[in-house]
C-alpha cells in the first residue's frame, strides 16, 4: 500500500461514490495486515454514516460541499468519520488527511483540511427531532425508514437498520463434511463463521446458503438457476445432487457468467452455463423439477457488506425492482413441472420486492430455517439470524 491508510481509504471512497464501484470488491484486493484492516474500517464506517458525516462537515465548511474539490472532500469525510464516530486517534486522523491533501492539491488544500477537521473535532452534533433524526442516526434516507416501519413496525425496522450498521463476520459454506474448521451457523447446514479461508469451503453468507437448502435439491433432479451469476448458489445445488442429476446456470450478464465459469473450472466442476434473459428463457415449458430464481433486487439486505447501496436507492427503486421480479417469476413458473416448484429469493427486505411479489401466488415459506415468517415467505436478517437480509418463498405453478 503506497498511500497512508487514511489516504487510501479516501481514494477508495471516491471510486465508490463517483465511479459506481462496490466497496467490498475494491477492499478485497487490499490483503491482510493492520493497515488493510484500518482502510476497511474507515471506508465501511464512512459509507455507513455518509449522510450524517456530510451534515457534520456542512457545519464546519464555509461553502457548499459540492464546491469542495472531490478528492479533498473524500479526505474530509474519512477524517470526520474517524474523529466523530470512529473513535480513532485524532492526531493521526488529522495529520494523514492534511499530508494527503498537500500531496494531491498543495498547501492551500492542506490548510483547508486542517482547519475543517479541527472544527469537526470540537463541534457538537444536533440531529433533527423525530423520524428524520432517527433515520440519519441509522444511516438511511427517511423514505427507507418509513417504508420498513410501514412493513414491519418501528421496533423491527430499527433493529434491522441498527444491525446493518455493524460489520459482517467472515462466513463460508463447507462443500463437504469435515471440509474445514469453523463455527457452525445454527439452523443453516453447511454454513460456518470463520476468520480465515477454509480448505474445501466457498465464501458465502449464511442467508445465501439457506436459499440453496430451500431448493430441496435431490439426486436425479433437473434444476435451473435462472439468475446464476456469480455462481455460488449454482455450485451449492450441484453439490447437493451428488453427481446424479443436472444443474444449469443461466444469466443475462455474460461477463458475470464468465466469472462463474472460471470459478467452476478452478474447482473442477462441470456446470452448463447459458447467457439468457430470465424474462424470456430459452428452455422448454415444464422441463425442470426446480427453478431457483434469486432475482435481481435493490440489495438492501446486504448493507453490512455493501453499505454504498443505501446511497444509490431512490424511492421508486423497490417498485421498479418488484415489477421486474414479477416478470421473472412468471417466466420461471412456466419452466417447472406440474409437481415442481420455483424458489423465489431476494437479498432485500422491502415489501414491494418480497411479500407483495408472492402475495397472490401459490406460495409458502420454506421449513426448517431460522428467522421468521413474512407473508407467504420466510425472512432472515442481521437482526434475526446474524446474516444478510434475505426473503425466500416456495412458489408452485
Amino acid at each position: 500500500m503506497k498511500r497512508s491508510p487514511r489516504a487510501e481509504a479516501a481514494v477508495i471512497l471516491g471510486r465508490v461514490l463517483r465511479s459506481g464501484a462496490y466497496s467490498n470488491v475494491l477492499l478485497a484486493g487490499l490483503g491482510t495486515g493492520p493497515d488493510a484492516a484500518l482502510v476497511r474500517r474507515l471506508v465501511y464506517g464512512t459509507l455507513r454514516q455518509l449522510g450524517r458525516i456530510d451534515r457534520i462537515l456542512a457545519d464546519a465548511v464555509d461553502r457548499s460541499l459540492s464546491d469542495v474539490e472531490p478528492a479533498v472532500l473524500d479526505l474530509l469525510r474519512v477524517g470526520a468519520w474517524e474523529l466523530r464516530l470512529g473513535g480513532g486517534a485524532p492526531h493521526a486522523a488529522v495529520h494523514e488527511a492534511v499530508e494527503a491533501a498537500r500531496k494531491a492539491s498543495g498547501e492551500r488544500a492542506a490548510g483547508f483540511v486542517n482547519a475543517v477537521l479541527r472544527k469537526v473535532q470540537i463541534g457538537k452534533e444536533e440531529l433533527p427531532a423525530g423520524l428524520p433524526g432517527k433515520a440519519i442516526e441509522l444511516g438511511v434516507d427517511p423514505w427507507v425508514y418509513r417504508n420498513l416501519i410501514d412493513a414491519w413496525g418501528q421496533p423491527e425496522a430499527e433493529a434491522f437498520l441498527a444491525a446493518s450498521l455493524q460489520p459482517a463476520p467472515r462466513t463460508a459454506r463447507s462443500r463437504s463434511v469435515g471440509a474445514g474448521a469453523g463455527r457452525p451457523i445454527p439452523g443453516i447446514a453447511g454454513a460456518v463463521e470463520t476468520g480465515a479461508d477454509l480448505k474445501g469451503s466457498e465464501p458465502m453468507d449464511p442467508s445465501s446458503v439457506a436459499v440453496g437448502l430451500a431448493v430441496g435439491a435431490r439426486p436425479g433432479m433437473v434444476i435451473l438457476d435462472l439468475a446464476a451469476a456469480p455462481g455460488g448458489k449454482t455450485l451449492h445445488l450441484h453439490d447437493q445432487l451428488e453427481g446424479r442429476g443436472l444443474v444449469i446456470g443461466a444469466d443475462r450478464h455474460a461477463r458475470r457468467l464468465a466469472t462463474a465459469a472460471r470459478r467452476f473450472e478452478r474447482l473442477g466442476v462441470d456446470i452448463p452455463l447459458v447467457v439468457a434473459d430470465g424474462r424470456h428463457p430459452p428452455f422448454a415449458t415444464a422441463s425442470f423439477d426446480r427453478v431457483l430464481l434469486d432475482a435481481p433486487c435493490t440489495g438492501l439486505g446486504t448493507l453490512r457488506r455493501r453499505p454504498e447501496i443505501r446511497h444509490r436507492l431512490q424511492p421508486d427503486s423497490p417498485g421498479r425492482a418488484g415489477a421486474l421480479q414479477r416478470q421473472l417469476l412468471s417466466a420461471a413458473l412456466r419452466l417447472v413441472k406440474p409437481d415442481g416448484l420455483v424458489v423465489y429469493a431476494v437479498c432485500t427486505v422491502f415489501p414491494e420486492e418480497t411479500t407483495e411479489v408472492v402475495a397472490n401466488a401459490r406460495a409458502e415459506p420454506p421449513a426448517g430455517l431460522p428467522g421468521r415468517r413474512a407473508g407467504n415467505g420466510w425472512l432472515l436478517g442481521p437482526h434475526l439470524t446474524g446474516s444478510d437480509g434475505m426473503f425466500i418463498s416456495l412458489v408452485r405453478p
Side-chain angles (χ1 to χ4, degrees):
M1 188 184 301
K2 296 180 180 179
R3 304 180 186 92
S4 71
R6 291 164 180 86
E8 182 69 20
V11 170
I12 292 174
L13 179 69
R15 291 182 62 186
V16 171
L17 294 178
R18 290 185 292 280
S19 300
Y22 282 106
S23 56
N24 62 320
V25 175
L26 297 181
L27 293 169
L30 290 180
T32 59
D35 283 355
L38 176 57
V39 173
R40 291 188 180 92
R41 180 171 171 272
L42 293 169
V43 172
Y44 281 140
T46 305
L47 285 170
R48 287 175 180 130
Q49 295 282 7
L50 186 65
R52 188 171 179 180
I53 290 303
D54 280 357
R55 284 176 52 86
I56 290 171
L57 287 174
D59 288 338
V61 175
D62 59 359
R63 68 191 81 163
S64 170
L65 295 186
S66 62
D67 293 333
V68 178
E69 181 184 343
V72 172
L73 181 58
D74 295 333
L75 288 166
L76 289 173
R77 283 167 162 164
V78 170
W81 179 81
E82 187 173 13
L83 288 170
R84 294 290 289 272
L85 301 175
H91 174 75
V94 175
H95 174 73
E96 286 192 18
V98 169
E99 289 304 309
R102 179 175 287 114
K103 290 179 181 178
S105 303
E107 289 297 332
R108 186 173 181 180
F112 173 70
V113 167
N114 182 66
V116 171
L117 291 183
R118 295 299 181 189
K119 290 176 68 175
V120 167
Q121 189 176 357
I122 63 175
K124 293 183 179 180
E125 181 184 19
E126 291 187 12
L127 293 175
L131 187 148
K134 191 63 178 179
I136 293 170
E137 184 181 335
L138 292 168
V140 294
D141 286 345
W143 73 265
V144 174
Y145 186 36
R146 288 193 200 95
N147 181 299
L148 298 184
I149 289 174
D150 291 344
W152 300 354
Q154 188 167 347
E156 188 166 13
E158 292 185 0
F160 166 77
L161 291 172
S164 295
L165 288 173
Q166 303 304 310
R170 191 169 186 176
T171 56
R173 178 182 68 85
S174 298
R175 295 192 62 207
S176 59
V177 176
R183 184 183 69 82
I185 304 298
I188 304 178
V192 296
E193 182 177 335
T194 174
D197 291 328
L198 295 179
K199 184 178 181 180
S201 297
E202 289 290 304
M204 204 170 195
D205 186 84
S207 286
S208 294
V209 180
V211 171
L213 296 174
V215 174
R218 299 189 301 273
M221 283 186 172
V222 179
I223 301 174
L224 173 66
D225 187 349
L226 193 55
K233 298 182 183 69
T234 319
L235 180 63
H236 190 187
L237 299 177
H238 168 86
D239 289 345
Q240 292 179 76
L241 292 183
E242 300 175 355
R244 291 173 287 155
L246 175 66
V247 173
I248 298 173
D251 201 282
R252 72 184 184 91
H253 296 286
R255 183 177 298 180
R256 298 187 71 219
L257 209 59
T259 300
R262 290 192 294 271
R263 180 181 192 176
F264 299 155
E265 183 178 7
R266 172 177 58 82
L267 295 170
V269 173
D270 184 17
I271 299 176
L273 298 174
V274 178
V275 178
D277 186 332
R279 295 169 296 182
H280 310 288
F283 304 105
T285 299
S287 54
F288 294 95
D289 298 293
R290 300 283 190 273
V291 173
L292 170 58
L293 175 57
D294 181 19
C297 67
T298 57
L300 191 72
T302 66
L303 285 179
R304 299 180 307 164
R305 302 177 193 278
R306 297 187 292 173
E308 62 277 2
I309 285 174
R310 71 190 73 220
H311 310 302
R312 298 176 180 176
L313 295 175
Q314 299 297 323
D316 66 343
S317 296
R320 287 189 290 108
L324 172 61
Q325 290 151 2
R326 285 181 172 84
Q327 294 178 55
L328 291 168
L329 179 58
S330 177
L333 286 168
R334 291 194 293 270
L335 298 178
V336 293
K337 298 174 182 179
D339 60 345
L341 60 83
V342 174
V343 177
Y344 175 76
V346 280
C347 57
T348 187
V349 295
F350 287 125
E352 295 95 324
E353 303 178 82
T354 57
T355 54
E356 293 178 14
V357 172
V358 298
N360 298 317
R362 294 181 59 211
E364 62 186 20
L369 294 174
R372 71 162 178 85
R373 181 164 187 151
N376 291 343
W378 196 256
L379 188 70
L380 298 91
H383 64 302
L384 296 170
T385 53
S387 59
D388 285 351
M390 184 75 72
F391 176 84
I392 309 172
S393 183
L394 309 183
V395 188
R396 300 187 183 279

